[in-house]
Every structure is written in structure tokens, then in C-alpha cells.
Amino acid sequence: MSDNLSRRMLCRVGLNNEGVLTQSPPVSDLVARLLSAKTQASMVSLLRTEARPPATKALSAEVKAHVSVLAGHLTEGRPREAIATALAMIFLDPDHAISCMRRDGVLRASRYEYRGSLIGRIAKAVLNVRDLLATSPDCIAYLESVEALSRVAGNALTLKLEVEATVRAHRSVVLKTIFVMVNSLFYHEWINDQEASSLDGRRYSSEEYAEAASLVLYTYASMFPVDGLSFAHVDTEASGKNALVYERLLVAAIRLTKFREAELFIDGLPYRADYEGKTITVSSIDPDVERAVRLGFMQHQNQTIIRQIHLREADSAISIRAVIDRAFDRGFDRLLEINDQIVRRLVLRLPAIPEMFDALFARDELFRDEIQMLLALDVDNFGTFDDLIFPITDNISSLDVFKVQRYFNFISCAYQRRLADLEDPAERETLTLTSTLLLIPHDAMVEQMRLIFGDGDKGSDIIGLLTMDPGDSHLDLQYRPFVDVGGYYVIAPHVVAVSNLVRNTIVANRLRSAAIGPKDRMVHSVTEALRSAGFEVESDFKAKVAGEQLELDIVARRDGSLFLFECKNAYHPVSVHEMRNSWDHIRSAKKQLDKRREILTEPANQAQLFRRLGWEIGSPFPVHTGIVIANRVFHGASLNGHPIRQAHELINVLTSGRIGANEDSLSFWLGAEFQTADLTTYLGPRSIAADQLAALDARQWRYSMGHRDLVFSSYMLDTLKWNREMRERYGPPVVEGGASSRISVHEI
């Protein structure tokens, strides 16, 4: 269909309020008239003569439909059509148009081969008529951010071309080589140096390398078919003369992922991008949001470390590595033979007998490795430790996923121990490259899973949950680690072994609601903490008040104060995309609380609610609101006066009021016992949560993108300063025996 015919058709059809086709819809009609103008300046002049029609459902629907039209123009490189379409959409319904663009990511240069100049021109064109737009400051900030990021898109394109050139030049060996390299980082527990240059491979974590490997696979799949031959060969010089080739490839891919992260930040979160000279800086519009994000990541990491310390102190189960070490002492190494056919490599001759699989892989008793993974899940848990073994689907449980990880952990550790026993470093490096990435035929994989589970259907189901299709639009090795290459699965075994695979499988397959179950334990835990602190409290309560149907996650009352909590239970996010999902939940909670606060501030409506609850009706109560979250990211921030608080910490406020879990700790309660004022203070601007955010110091993370730098403005915690300030404000310590020790940040 020609462009002219497309435009004529767009000008003739549209939707009315009832969804019926009408003539000359506003957006299409305005696009056509803008295209009749000879220059962009003429388009602007035409817009200045336009009268904006009233907002209708039909107009909103047409604006939304034109998002894909705009994407098509950008894909095909049609600048006049793209600019005219964007101007028309945003002029006629600015907030809705920009919201749709952000939700669909239509102005991300990464969607269009990193050709950012046209996207920058669109943003500039709209900003040139900002005086005509009845839009919010957030929308203007977004357009300014799009224009700023467009300035570094060309540099990102250079990185993309560098990645493609390396993949093309090393097509036969590149995938297997980088997958082996990333697998080795996970096995050897790679520790990165965050202070290194962004051009230095030591800067980046194993998780960032896994993301880079996923991007290289995606790049390869966009250029060549992905099949068994794609992983058949490895560069045996990857640890020698060609080492720099793959380091530069992976570092380029990581920097490319940082540009894509910047796009996600401005599209889906309250962040903006600004440029000054050759530096483009991404920062949160409200600094407390980024502070809350960084604090959340720190607290989550601290909680994980604390659990690992407790595990080390306990007389715990044996680890898979220890099992392998004992097996090698008994001659297990004889099952790993060097095979010189085709290419010199190690081959594991693991007997496929049910008795062995039952003893090692099918048993329900946990190894130390699985206990560690359970502890990682426990950070976001609100039940007992036993609750961490739970159904993921009707046929698959979290324990089943652990057993898959156990199997590949065993294989990985066996290969690595055999390699470690080799005396010749050169032979060890070569055999690592040729031996440690698994290529398993589909039938063999099904049979191995059947031996583990004794159930072919369960084995097939779990393979389906963990399988990555290289043709998908988004690839992530830690979420779907079985790479389907047509009849075979490519598996980096230690990536499978140590990833938080239960959590990642739930997220990748959108199974969170099933994992939470019919009753949210987070809501129950907060409710019980409120009840134990002397509150009248009800959860999951539905009532019609003032003609409106209200669904209250938690409503509580004590000492003349009414509390309304909206609860959102999402896993701790490990990517910007997941942060966006958490933020969307929080924004939804904000809208719900806006409505409930407006209704329940009225005394008559309060009385009506209390009657529905069976509570005594007294004088009007001041209303306090809060967004309670399961994970720690965004804890401490606030939306429209609704404080965001993490559930475990809220429970601590109600039940102990302590900072720290040592022999001596600080109490931030106003007195010896909990008072309602302790909760209202915690929800207010002068809370312990605000103290946490204030203790963070500004920090920038800089990434070289060629002759420009991409900078993320962030924060870090000075733990010494935090300890000192908390002792000054909340000391002296409450001593329960033992010597004074440092405050643990994890508790508050």
C-alpha cells in the first residue's frame, strides 16, 4: 500500500463514542493537513490556527491507534509523516498521547536500529509548540529527555555495529565462547571492581555479563539462524591471543544495555535525561525516588548477607561441591574422560540409572546450595521457612526447580573439579572452553528430567518453563537458561545452578499471582502486627461508602487515628523493567488511596464505614495513608502524600521499634512501649525512613559511549555516617547483654 493511499484511508475512517466508524477523525484529518504543509515551520503555523476538539473516548482511541502508525513511520524512516503524526496526536490529546508512547516505548531509538536523529527531531518539533499544549510538566520533561537521549543514540549505534562486526567476524565460535566465559564467571564467583573504568571488563558483575551474552545472542539471531551449529565450535584462543576480542565484545554489549536501561528509565519511571556538552545524565525527577531505589537494593543485599552469615554459623547440610570432592576422592574422576574425537574435550559418563538419580537428584532433602537459594527467597517472604516450598504451577513446585538446579550444579562442579586437577594450565584453559558448555539433545533432556522426577509430564513442563527461544524479542539467560537451538538445548550449567531460578521462572512466566496464592501472607503479617499493637484492624474489606465501592487492603484504627494501607506484593526487582512493574503497582496504589482518602476524610463517610466494620462511631478521625510494599525498592519515597513503606520494616515499627539486631540496639519509639504516634511519625516526613534517605550521598556512574558519556546520577550509603547519625539521634543503645557493636543497616 502506498504512503499516499495510507494517508487517504486514515483521513476517512475513525471511531465514535460507540465504537462505530465515522468520517474524518480528528487525528487522521490533522495529520493529512499537516502533511500538506511544505515545511515543518508551516506545520507549526497551521497548528497555531487549530482549535482543539473536546476530549472523547473516540479521540482517545484514535490517538492510541496512531501509536502503531507512528512506530511504522519511524521503522520505515519517513520523517515528515512521523513528525506530522506525533504533532497531531500530542496537540489533540497531549497527556494521553505521551502516556501511550511511553507505555509502548515508541520513542526508543533502540527499536529502530539506534537511529536517534529522527526521534530527536520529533521531540524538538513538539517542544517548539509546547505553549500550545495543555499538558503536564512530566510530559514536557519526558520530551526533553527523549531529545537528550537522542544525542547519544548515534554512539549507541556505533557500539551496536561493533558488536555486529565482531559477531560476523567470529560467527562460527562467538556464541559458544562467550557462553563458556560467562559460565566460568558464575562458577568462580567473580567479584567485580565498581571503581574500574567503564571500558575495563573488571568493572562489571557476572549478572551484567550474562545480560551482555543475552544481547550478543539476540544480535546473532538477528543476523543468522540459530541452530546446533551456532554452538558447535569454540575459539580455543579465547584465553590467549584472542582474549581481548571477547572482552571488548562483552564490554561493548554491556554499555549498549546501559543505553537501553536509560530508555526504560525515562519511559516507565519518574526519571529524566539532560545533556550538557558531551554528557547525558539520567536522574530521578524527585531525588527521593532514586534514593529510595538505591536504599532498597542495599537493604535487600544486606538481608541476603545476614542470612548467609547465619547459614555459615549453623551446622548445615553438605554442598554439591563438597559432594563432588568426596566423590573424586573415591574415584569419580574416572567418569570424566578426555575424548579426542573431532575436538579434544572432557566427556562425563554419568550412569543413567534410576537409583543414582534417586539418591542424588530426586531426593527432597536439601543440599546446602538449595538452602542458600531458599534464604535468598526468604528475604521477600512473609510466612515460615516451610512456605518457601510452594506450587509454581499445578504440576511444578519450587522444590522441582531446585532439583533441576541441583542436577546442573552437580554436572558443572564435576567438570570444574576435573579441570582443576589438571596440572597443565594451557590444557585446563582449552578443555574449559571445549567442555563446560552443555549441548543436550531434546530426547536426552526429557529422559534426564524423567529420571529426576519420575514423571515425564512434569519433566516436559519444567523444560517448557525454562526454555528460551532465540527468536523472542527479549532474551535473558538467567530467566530462561535452556537455549532452544532446534532439537538441542544449549545450557551454561553454572548459570542455571546459581541463578535465583525460582523467582526468575515465576517472573518470566508471569506466575506471581499463583505463587502468592489465594491469601497474601504479606497482608496477613501486617494485619497481625497491627492487631498485636492494639489496633482495631480489618483486611481485604469491601464496602459501599458514599455510593462508591471501596476495596480496602488494610483499614486500622487506634487512639483517634484512622489508617488506610494499600499493599503491593512484588518480588525485589533486579532490572529496570522489573522496577517499572513495581512502580506501576505503586502508582495504582496511589490512585486507589487518593480516592479512599477523599471519601473517608468526610465524617459521614467515616461513620458509614465504621458501621460496616462493626466499629464504634465516635468523633471524626484524621486519616493516614500508606503504600505497603513487599520488596524494599522505593521504600521511603512518597506519592501525593502517600508514604511508601516496606512491610517488614513497618512490622518492626509496630512490634519492636529497634534499629539493629545485635546485643545492643537503638529504639526509635517515643517511649518504652509502642504508641500510635510512633506509627504516624513513621509515616510522616520526619521519620526514620527519611533519616535513611538523608544518609545517602550523591554518586555518579559513568559509561563511555565513544566521544559522549552516559551518566546515571545515583546515591551510595556511607555506613559510618549512618551509624554515627543514628546513635546521635536515637541513642543511647538499649543493651541486652554483650558489648556494644555497630548498627545493622538492614533492620531500619
Side-chain angles (χ1 to χ4, degrees):
M1 185 183 294
S2 71
D3 293 346
N4 288 336
L5 179 58
S6 297
R7 289 198 295 270
R8 288 198 300 273
M9 290 180 67
L10 280 171
C11 291
R12 286 201 297 266
V13 297
L15 297 171
N16 64 13
N17 286 325
E18 286 73 41
V20 179
L21 291 175
T22 65
Q23 298 297 314
S24 299
V27 180
S28 300
D29 181 60
L30 182 54
V31 170
R33 285 186 285 117
L34 289 171
L35 286 171
S36 68
K38 294 183 179 181
T39 65
Q40 189 171 317
S42 301
M43 289 184 186
V44 172
S45 297
L46 188 153
L47 275 184
R48 294 191 180 281
T49 67
E50 283 291 312
R52 188 178 290 106
T56 63
K57 290 182 180 179
L59 177 59
S60 293
E62 197 195 354
V63 164
K64 184 177 181 180
H66 272 75
V67 171
S68 59
V69 175
L70 174 59
H73 292 323
L74 288 167
T75 301
E76 299 299 325
R78 295 189 287 262
R80 279 177 50 77
E81 288 84 349
I83 292 170
T85 302
L87 282 172
M89 294 167 61
I90 296 173
F91 174 79
L92 293 171
D93 195 352
D95 285 350
H96 180 60
I98 291 174
S99 175
C100 291
M101 290 178 182
R102 295 180 76 168
R103 184 169 56 249
D104 290 2
V106 76
L107 295 184
R108 294 180 202 163
S110 60
R111 286 184 53 169
Y112 314 105
E113 301 296 315
Y114 299 90
R115 298 190 305 268
S117 58
L118 177 52
I119 289 173
R121 287 174 61 190
I122 290 172
K124 284 181 180 178
V126 178
L127 289 169
N128 284 339
V129 295
R130 70 179 75 190
D131 59 305
L132 302 179
L133 306 177
T135 188
S136 66
D138 285 349
C139 289
I140 297 299
Y142 169 68
L143 292 167
E144 292 172 339
S145 299
V146 168
E147 200 274 326
L149 270 188
S150 73
R151 293 171 180 260
V152 76
N155 305 87
L157 174 59
T158 300
L159 287 175
K160 176 181 181 292
L161 295 175
E162 179 184 337
V163 170
E164 289 177 344
T166 305
V167 168
R168 188 178 293 108
H170 300 270
R171 174 184 176 181
S172 64
V173 296
V174 65
L175 290 184
K176 185 171 184 178
T177 302
I178 64 166
F179 271 52
V180 169
M181 293 171 68
V182 170
N183 187 71
S184 293
L185 291 177
F186 277 83
Y187 176 79
H188 293 290
E189 299 177 347
W190 166 257
I191 299 175
N192 60 309
D193 178 7
Q194 291 185 325
E195 301 303 321
S197 161
S198 66
L199 299 177
D200 187 335
R202 292 173 297 180
R203 165 84 170 265
Y204 303 107
S205 68
S206 54
E207 290 77 15
E208 287 174 307
Y209 275 111
E211 189 176 6
S214 301
L215 179 60
V216 172
L217 174 60
Y218 177 84
T219 303
Y220 184 104
S222 71
M223 300 166 65
F224 311 114
V226 180
D227 52 30
L229 290 176
S230 305
F231 288 88
H233 305 288
V234 71
D235 188 344
T236 54
E237 296 296 332
S239 58
K241 65 181 182 180
N242 289 340
L244 189 59
V245 171
Y246 300 102
E247 179 180 338
R248 292 178 65 173
L249 170 63
L250 289 167
V251 169
I254 289 172
R255 287 183 288 149
L256 201 52
T257 66
K258 299 306 175 183
F259 176 81
R260 296 167 73 169
E261 282 183 12
E263 292 182 314
L264 287 169
F265 266 118
I266 68 167
D267 263 352
L269 292 159
Y271 285 70
R272 61 173 294 129
D274 298 279
Y275 67 88
E276 182 177 351
K278 294 183 178 180
T279 298
I280 291 82
T281 301
V282 178
S283 59
S284 58
I285 295 171
D286 176 359
D288 273 355
V289 169
E290 174 62 13
R291 288 191 181 98
V293 168
R294 290 310 125 204
L295 180 66
F297 278 106
M298 294 172 207
Q299 290 181 324
H300 188 274
Q301 183 181 38
N302 286 338
Q303 287 288 338
T304 303
I305 291 171
I306 288 163
R307 284 162 172 77
Q308 299 303 329
I309 290 172
H310 290 164
L311 178 61
R312 286 198 295 268
E313 292 173 348
D315 183 13
S316 187
I318 190 171
S319 70
I320 293 293
R321 290 196 193 197
V323 169
I324 291 295
D325 287 339
R326 292 182 183 180
F328 268 65
D329 292 340
R330 299 188 184 104
F332 184 84
D333 58 314
R334 292 192 296 271
L335 297 180
L336 277 152
E337 302 172 350
I338 294 179
N339 188 320
D340 286 310
Q341 294 181 5
I342 305 176
V343 64
R344 186 172 172 83
R345 68 195 191 280
L346 285 172
V347 177
L348 175 63
R349 308 294 184 186
L350 189 65
I353 55 175
E355 291 79 9
M356 179 176 181
F357 275 74
D358 286 344
L360 275 173
F361 310 123
R363 71 176 198 172
D364 290 345
E365 185 181 354
L366 298 178
F367 287 90
R368 185 184 186 89
D369 313 71
E370 290 115 43
I371 296 173
Q372 288 177 324
M373 289 183 282
L374 275 175
L375 290 172
L377 286 175
D378 186 56
V379 174
D380 292 329
N381 182 38
F382 289 88
T384 66
F385 203 66
D386 291 340
D387 292 326
L388 296 171
I389 303 300
F390 59 90
I392 295 174
T393 69
D394 290 341
N395 200 29
I396 304 297
S397 73
S398 57
L399 181 60
D400 296 328
V401 176
F402 289 145
K403 289 178 181 178
V404 172
Q405 292 184 274
R406 180 189 302 169
Y407 178 65
F408 287 103
N409 193 4
F410 182 91
I411 292 174
S412 178
C413 290
Y415 274 103
Q416 296 288 350
R417 169 58 196 268
R418 182 71 171 84
L419 289 164
D421 287 347
L422 296 174
E423 294 183 0
D424 184 351
E427 183 178 33
R428 186 187 310 123
E429 290 174 352
T430 299
L431 289 175
T432 295
L433 288 163
T434 59
S435 308
T436 54
L437 189 71
L438 307 180
L439 187 64
I440 304 176
H442 173 76
D443 290 345
M445 176 72 89
V446 171
E447 176 61 14
Q448 289 165 21
M449 294 299 106
R450 187 193 66 78
L451 285 169
I452 293 171
F453 299 114
D455 182 338
D457 290 340
K458 176 175 286 194
S460 296
D461 287 351
I462 205 161
I463 291 170
L465 289 176
L466 299 176
T467 295
M468 174 200 298
D469 179 355
D472 288 346
S473 59
H474 178 73
L475 307 180
D476 196 310
L477 191 58
Q478 288 194 266
Y479 283 71
R480 296 185 186 274
F482 294 0
V483 183
D484 186 353
V485 294
Y488 290 84
Y489 298 99
V490 174
I491 298 173
H494 223 76
V495 175
V496 177
V498 302
S499 295
N500 194 343
L501 201 54
V502 169
R503 174 214 176 280
N504 291 352
T505 299
I506 289 168
V507 172
N509 294 279
R510 299 181 179 180
L511 298 170
R512 180 61 171 155
S513 58
I516 291 173
K519 292 293 184 181
D520 191 330
R521 286 191 290 270
M522 181 190 81
V523 173
H524 173 76
S525 297
V526 174
T527 300
E528 289 307 305
L530 285 162
R531 185 169 286 118
S532 70
F535 286 80
E536 297 175 282
V537 59
E538 192 64 62
S539 61
D540 297 321
F541 184 75
K542 299 178 182 179
K544 194 168 187 178
V545 178
E548 296 280 352
Q549 187 67 37
L550 300 183
E551 297 183 9
L552 305 174
D553 282 354
I554 297 176
V555 54
R557 189 175 72 168
R558 187 180 191 266
D559 294 339
S561 291
L562 178 64
F563 297 86
L564 308 174
F565 294 112
E566 182 64 21
C567 301
K568 298 299 178 184
N569 192 342
Y571 278 133
H572 174 80
V574 296
S575 66
V576 181
H577 178 72
E578 289 188 17
M579 280 172 54
R580 178 179 181 171
N581 290 338
S582 286
W583 185 250
D584 286 344
H585 286 307
I586 288 169
R587 289 201 306 168
S588 172
K590 174 258 181 191
K591 293 177 182 178
Q592 293 166 316
L593 287 174
D594 282 347
K595 176 181 176 182
R596 294 163 192 171
R597 182 172 59 187
E598 179 183 2
I599 291 172
L600 294 176
T601 300
E602 293 293 326
N605 296 336
Q606 275 192 22
Q608 191 176 357
L609 172 67
F610 296 157
R611 279 194 292 270
R612 298 280 192 275
L613 287 162
W615 294 353
E616 182 180 341
I617 300 171
S619 302
F621 286 47
V623 177
H624 304 272
T625 60
I627 301 170
V628 183
I629 54 175
N631 65 62
R632 289 164 173 79
V633 173
F634 300 114
H635 162 75
S638 181
L639 272 183
N640 198 28
H642 307 300
I644 304 167
R645 298 293 185 263
Q646 202 275 332
H648 282 301
E649 298 198 359
L650 174 59
I651 291 168
N652 182 38
V653 169
L654 295 165
T655 57
S656 80
R658 298 286 183 83
I659 308 169
N662 302 309
E663 291 81 0
D664 66 327
S665 59
L666 305 181
S667 174
F668 57 89
W669 278 352
L670 297 175
E673 302 293 333
F674 172 80
Q675 304 172 37
T676 305
D678 290 314
L679 179 56
T680 57
T681 300
Y682 178 68
L683 298 174
R686 292 287 300 156
S687 68
I688 187 75
D691 292 337
Q692 292 172 293
L693 300 189
L696 296 170
D697 295 326
R699 170 69 191 263
Q700 289 189 333
W701 299 104
R702 185 174 296 268
Y703 300 91
S704 171
M705 305 294 287
H707 67 280
R708 288 191 171 92
D709 283 351
L710 180 61
V711 173
F712 292 87
S713 180
S714 189
Y715 297 87
M716 291 188 69
L717 181 66
D718 183 334
T719 54
L720 292 176
K721 183 174 79 171
W722 162 253
N723 276 278
R724 183 177 63 253
E725 291 179 354
M726 291 303 98
R727 287 184 182 278
E728 289 174 355
R729 181 166 180 183
Y730 297 106
V734 179
V735 179
E736 295 181 353
S740 176
S741 55
R742 292 180 60 185
I743 302 164
S744 299
V745 178
H746 69 279
E747 283 297 330
I748 276 288

